[in-house]
């Protein structure tokens, strides 16, 4: 007995555990009581009381602490299974941490003793309370299963926007040939049809495990302190040349078989020109049919730069095409007006349809209503002459600007990749919304008509042939981030030349690409109203009803997550404090609102891939919410937050997470992914991303599974190294091959994979030296099939930054 009463290491460890459990219990009781007031689960407060009793008896070195905690753990398991079933990831905060505590309490047994009568009486009272926990936790957790409704009153505007602009039919032709990618990969998505399909079949599910790295090329663009790098380049390949661009727009021509460098052109882009990210997603290629093959720039590569130049280079030598623009360069800032460096910063490749180079640009989000214009322009591919400009603020006018005027500031821009149809002479532009994403009180009729829309422009004169809007009065930043894919879509009357468009809501629209006629059924359904603009919001939003979507159910309190019960409790409290009425919850200023999916939800710049032989669509997607709040102007001004380029911008307060949205009543705070402040983990339970295959003939999902392991993710930014599929955020697309394989990186785990298209099973992977948030490409050179990926990383995705281009092939 004397040994038990000493105050050795064991005694102090028991006291430390008792103190830790007491502190945790007080947090659970306080936070749990507040959660009850908010209408949430009773479990946390009641469990906190039991944990407090456990700590008390540990302080008394009584074995009754073990019995009390064991009973609490048993009740916790029953509650967890009732709330989330056998979902392993969902049970981590509910069961895993309490199980670790159970092991620690059991480890204290040698240092504990049987309690006196008073202890037994107190323990009996504690156990009696525990008996009620299960019943009360279940009875009062019914709120977990219901939607937290938005209280603000709704309104029905008389001028709610329509879903489609009347189409002016294109002159139909007898056939719509599908461009052959073959041994080459001449455009960002394989071709301007953007199917991301290769007819090569040398690599198959049977031999893919033999893939090996055959060469690596590094561009030399690596971040300095404070710079926002992260390239997402998909190279192009024509003949023996592989053409790629670096984060700062250096263009390199490599031998497609060996990776040997032929030439590199450096446009000397300053890091001051970096807007959201230092990125060059791709290049455009053009062969002049009227030029001799030996003529300079008979084959040219065309690129946008971050500092807003359009540059044409000779594919063979890397020399500037002197007959293009001013010595090979066109200034894209002409007509844009005064703008700060990086405010107007093209990151996606131009699209060449017929002999017209079509350009648009990324514009810095959330800064000011007077941001640069979202104008789309067409240039002669040989001379660089401006042919037309589609500026929403000048409806019906596509000619040159009058002297002294600029393109309309603040209009919706096209930051992503366009696709095109040479035969129809159409380029398909996926638009975003106006310069400030989360408030639209002074948007023009044209902005309301064309924001978050697919717009088909005639490349001969820049006129709108047809358009379709996927979100009415978009105040959620649901810009269309994906390139449209052109394919022959199966219908009961035979295949129709179509365009398939993914969205950030993980829906898929399908159009007759000549006329804009929908080939799927779209239903206008009631949407939540209220918030700060109840009279302006659309009372309905479009939903595709007869094509599979990857939408997940609306969030409930039970979907909240964390590493421990404490951070899960924090997220549950935030859930109930916020305004949430499901999809399209209106923005609010008096409290936060939940946006689900968030602006990085659904399908982003990677687009989709379509196996045109099997008629299977492959798509990866995100499933994460945002936790947002509109910040009243007086608060933004008091904090001294000003737009990019304004006086004092360099001294903007760091860490506020607030964007100014100048010239409007509100700034905006966006918690993208809805992360817990301390641990950096997401509040919503996994998965956070997936990958799926859809049969286009039957419109049936073949398989859909979480995509991405937890190996590079963990609390406090510490990699967990866990190889289990958690389903991570993912950006960057895939490529499919005739060999029956899907090649994709995209996830945050730093792996490039080969997936069997029939089963969805991963059958090969390799670890990349940096994040693979770029689309891979496949081509043939010297009789071998190559897979190439840009491992450049992405700052928003929090993946390692690099400057690598890596090629894989079967042993030669």
């Amino acid at each position: 007995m004397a040994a038990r009463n000493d105050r050795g290491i064991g005694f102090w460890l028991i006291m430390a555990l008792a103190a830790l459990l007491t502190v945790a219990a007080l947090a659970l009781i306080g936070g749990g009581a507040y959660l009850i007031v908010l209408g949430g689960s009773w479990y946390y407060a009641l469990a906190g009381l039991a944990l407090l009793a456990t700590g008390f008896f540990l302080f008394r070195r009584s074995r009754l602490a073990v019995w009390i905690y064991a009973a609490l753990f048993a009740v916790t398991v029953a509650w967890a299974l009732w709330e989330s079933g056998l979902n392993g990831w969902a049970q981590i905060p509910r069961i895993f941490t309490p199980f670790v505590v159970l092991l620690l309490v059991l480890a204290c047994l040698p240092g504990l003793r049987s309690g006196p009568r008073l202890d037994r009486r107190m323990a009996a009272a504690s156990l009696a309370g525990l008996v009620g926990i299960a019943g009360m936790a279940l009875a009062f957790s019914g709120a977990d299963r219901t939607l937290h409704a938005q209280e603000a009153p709704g309104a029905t505007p008389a001028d709610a926007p329509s879903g489609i602009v009347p189409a002016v039919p294109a002159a139909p032709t007898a056939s719509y040939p599908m461009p052959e990618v073959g041994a080459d990969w001449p455009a960002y998505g394989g071709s301007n049809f953007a199917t991301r399909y290769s007819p090569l079949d040398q690599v198959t599910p049977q031999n893919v495990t033999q893939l090996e790295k055959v060469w690596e090329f590094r561009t030399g663009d690596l971040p300095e302190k404070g710079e926002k790098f992260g390239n997402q380049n998909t190279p192009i390949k024509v003949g023996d040349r592989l053409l790629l661009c670096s984060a700062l727009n250096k263009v390199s021509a490599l031998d497609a078989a060996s990776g040997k460098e032929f030439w590199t052109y450096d446009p000397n882009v300053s890091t001051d020109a970096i807007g959201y990210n230092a990125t060059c997603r791709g290049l455009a290629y053009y062969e002049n049919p009227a030029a001799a093959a030996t003529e300079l720039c008979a084959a040219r590569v065309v690129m946008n730069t971050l500092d807003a130049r359009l540059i044409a280079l000779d594919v063979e030598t890397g020399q500037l095409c002197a007959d293009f623009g001013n010595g090979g360069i066109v200034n894209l800032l002409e007509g844009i007006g005064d703008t700060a460096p990086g405010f107007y910063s093209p990151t996606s490749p131009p699209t060449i349809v017929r002999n017209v180079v079509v350009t648009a640009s990324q514009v810095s989000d959330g800064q000011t209503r007077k941001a640069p214009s979202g104008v789309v322009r067409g240039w002669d591919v040989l001379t660089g002459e401006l042919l037309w400009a589609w500026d929403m603020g000048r409806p019906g006018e596509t000619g040159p600007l009058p002297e002294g005027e600029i393109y309309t500031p603040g209009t919706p821009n096209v930051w992503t990749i366009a696709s095109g149809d040479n035969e129809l002479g159409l380029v398909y532009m996926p638009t975003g919304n106006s310069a400030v994403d989360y408030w639209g009180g002074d948007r023009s009729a044209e902005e309301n008509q064309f924001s978050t829309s697919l717009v088909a422009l005639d490349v001969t004169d820049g006129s709108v042939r047809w358009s379709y809007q996927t979100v009415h009065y978009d105040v959620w930043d649901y810009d269309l981030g994906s390139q449209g894919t052109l394919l022959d879509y199966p219908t009961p009357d035979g295949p129709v030349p179509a365009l398939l468009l993914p969205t950030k809501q993980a829906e898929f629209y399908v159009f007759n690409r000549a006329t804009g006629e929908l080939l799927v059924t779209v239903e206008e359904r009631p949407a939540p109203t209220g918030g700060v603009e109840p009279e302006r919001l659309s009372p309905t939003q479009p939903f595709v009803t007869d094509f599979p979507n990857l939408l997940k159910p609306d969030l409930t309190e039970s979907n909240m997550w964390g590493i421990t019960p404490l951070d899960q409790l924090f997220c549950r409290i935030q859930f109930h404090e916020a305004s949430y009425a499901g999809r399209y919850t209106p923005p609010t200023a008096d409290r936060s609102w939940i946006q689900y999916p968030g602006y990085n939800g659904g399908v982003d710049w990677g687009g989709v891939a379509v196996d045109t032989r099997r008629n299977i669509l492959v798509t990866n997607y995100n499933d994460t919410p945002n936790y947002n709040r509109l910040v009243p102007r007086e608060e933004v001004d008091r904090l001294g937050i000003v737009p990019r380029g304004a006086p004092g911008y360099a001294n903007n307060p760091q860490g506020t997470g607030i964007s100014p949205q100048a010239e409007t009543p509100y700034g905006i705070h966006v918690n993208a992914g809805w992360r817990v402040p301390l641990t950096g983990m997401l509040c919503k339970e996994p998965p956070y991303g997936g990958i799926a295959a859809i049969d286009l003939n039957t419109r049936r999902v073949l398989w859909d599974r979480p995509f991405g392991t937890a190996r590079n993710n963990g609390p406090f930014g510490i990699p967990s190294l866990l190889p289990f599929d958690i389903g991570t955020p993912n950006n960057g697309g895939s490529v499919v091959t005739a060999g029956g394989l899907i090649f994709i990186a995209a996830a945050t785990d730093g792996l490039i994979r080969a997936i069997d298209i029939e089963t969805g099973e991963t059958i090969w992977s390799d670890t990349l030296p940096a994040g693979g948030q770029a689309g891979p490409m496949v081509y043939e050179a010297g009789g071998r099939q190559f897979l190439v990926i840009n491992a450049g990383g992405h700052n928003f995705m929090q993946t390692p930054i690099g400057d690598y281009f890596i090629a894989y092939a079967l042993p030669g």
Side-chain angles (χ1 to χ4, degrees), residues 27-346:
L28 284 173
I29 292 169
Y34 182 47
L35 182 61
I36 292 171
V37 171
L38 292 173
S41 173
W42 284 56
Y43 166 79
Y44 295 87
L46 297 171
L49 293 172
L51 194 63
L52 186 63
T54 303
F56 172 81
F57 285 111
L58 280 177
F59 274 123
R60 295 179 66 88
R61 299 180 67 192
S62 169
R63 290 186 177 180
L64 294 171
V66 178
W67 290 107
I68 292 171
Y69 190 80
L72 171 61
F73 183 74
V75 170
T76 296
V77 170
W79 167 77
L81 292 174
W82 171 83
E83 195 175 54
S84 292
L86 298 177
N87 182 339
W89 288 110
Q91 298 300 2
I92 285 179
R94 293 173 173 87
I95 296 178
F96 178 75
T97 302
F99 178 71
V100 172
V101 174
L102 176 64
L103 296 179
L104 293 174
V105 171
L106 290 173
C108 293
L109 263 174
L112 303 178
R113 55 178 180 259
S114 298
R117 182 178 301 174
L118 176 62
D119 280 4
R120 290 196 293 273
R121 289 175 181 171
M122 296 177 70
S126 299
L127 288 169
L130 273 173
V131 172
I133 286 180
M136 285 187 286
L138 298 180
F140 291 101
S141 292
D144 298 2
R145 305 288 178 173
T146 60
L147 196 62
H148 192 57
Q150 158 82 0
E151 292 87 12
T156 303
D159 57 346
S162 61
I164 188 165
V165 175
V168 178
T173 56
S175 64
Y176 294 80
M178 177 73 69
E180 290 291 337
V181 174
D184 290 339
W185 192 270
Y188 175 83
S191 72
N192 279 349
F193 277 26
T195 58
R196 296 172 180 81
Y197 171 73
S198 170
L200 302 179
D201 60 3
Q202 188 180 87
V203 183
T204 67
Q206 289 70 43
N207 63 19
V208 67
T209 56
Q210 300 174 41
L211 278 182
E212 59 186 18
K213 186 187 297 185
V214 292
W215 56 257
E216 175 184 292
F217 178 78
R218 302 191 65 177
T219 68
D221 282 356
L222 284 173
E224 300 173 12
K225 186 176 180 180
E227 297 294 354
K228 298 178 290 184
F229 277 62
N231 205 23
Q232 301 132 36
N233 178 241
T234 299
I236 57 177
K237 186 265 184 184
V238 181
D240 66 347
R241 301 277 156 130
L242 186 74
L243 298 154
L244 56 86
C245 54
S246 74
L248 289 177
N249 298 117
K250 289 189 289 187
V251 182
S252 296
L254 310 182
D255 183 289
S258 68
K260 177 184 176 182
E261 181 180 357
F262 289 127
W263 55 260
T264 291
Y265 171 82
D266 187 352
N268 296 307
V269 173
S270 168
T271 55
D272 292 339
I274 299 174
Y276 175 69
N277 207 63
T279 296
C280 178
R281 289 196 182 89
L283 304 164
Y285 175 84
Y286 180 78
E287 288 183 19
N288 181 1
T294 56
E295 190 177 323
L296 186 69
C297 291
R300 61 186 64 195
V301 60
V302 184
M303 173 184 65
N304 295 318
T305 63
L306 293 173
D307 56 5
R309 289 176 284 166
L310 183 65
I311 298 177
L313 302 169
D314 177 59
V315 168
E316 194 66 25
T317 65
Q319 296 181 61
L320 288 165
C321 298
D323 55 353
F324 183 86
N326 184 11
I329 299 173
V330 168
N331 180 9
L332 295 177
L333 290 177
E334 288 186 5
I336 298 300
D338 294 334
T339 181
F343 219 143
Y344 186 88
S345 185

Side-chain angles (χ1 to χ4, degrees), residues 273 275 339-345 361-365 367-368 371-372 643-645:
T339 181
F343 219 143
Y344 186 88
S345 185
S361 179
Q362 170 185 278
V363 175
S364 291
D365 276 348
Q367 298 299 307
T368 175
R644 186 185 187 107

Side-chain angles (χ1 to χ4, degrees), residues 107 136 205 288 290 309 360 368 403 463 472 490 505 551 564 585 629 653 656-657 670 688 709 735 770 778:
M136 285 187 286
N288 181 1
R309 289 176 284 166
T368 175
E403 180 106 18
S463 61
H472 307 320
Q505 296 91 319
L551 298 170
T564 70
T585 296
R629 183 175 74 90
T656 65
V670 176
Y688 306 121
T709 66
V735 57
V778 170

Side-chain angles (χ1 to χ4, degrees), residues 380-397:
D380 186 293
V381 70
L382 297 178
T383 67
E385 176 190 358
L386 178 64
L387 301 175
W388 50 261
W390 179 57
D391 174 10
M392 294 178 202
R394 299 188 305 142
E397 300 177 27

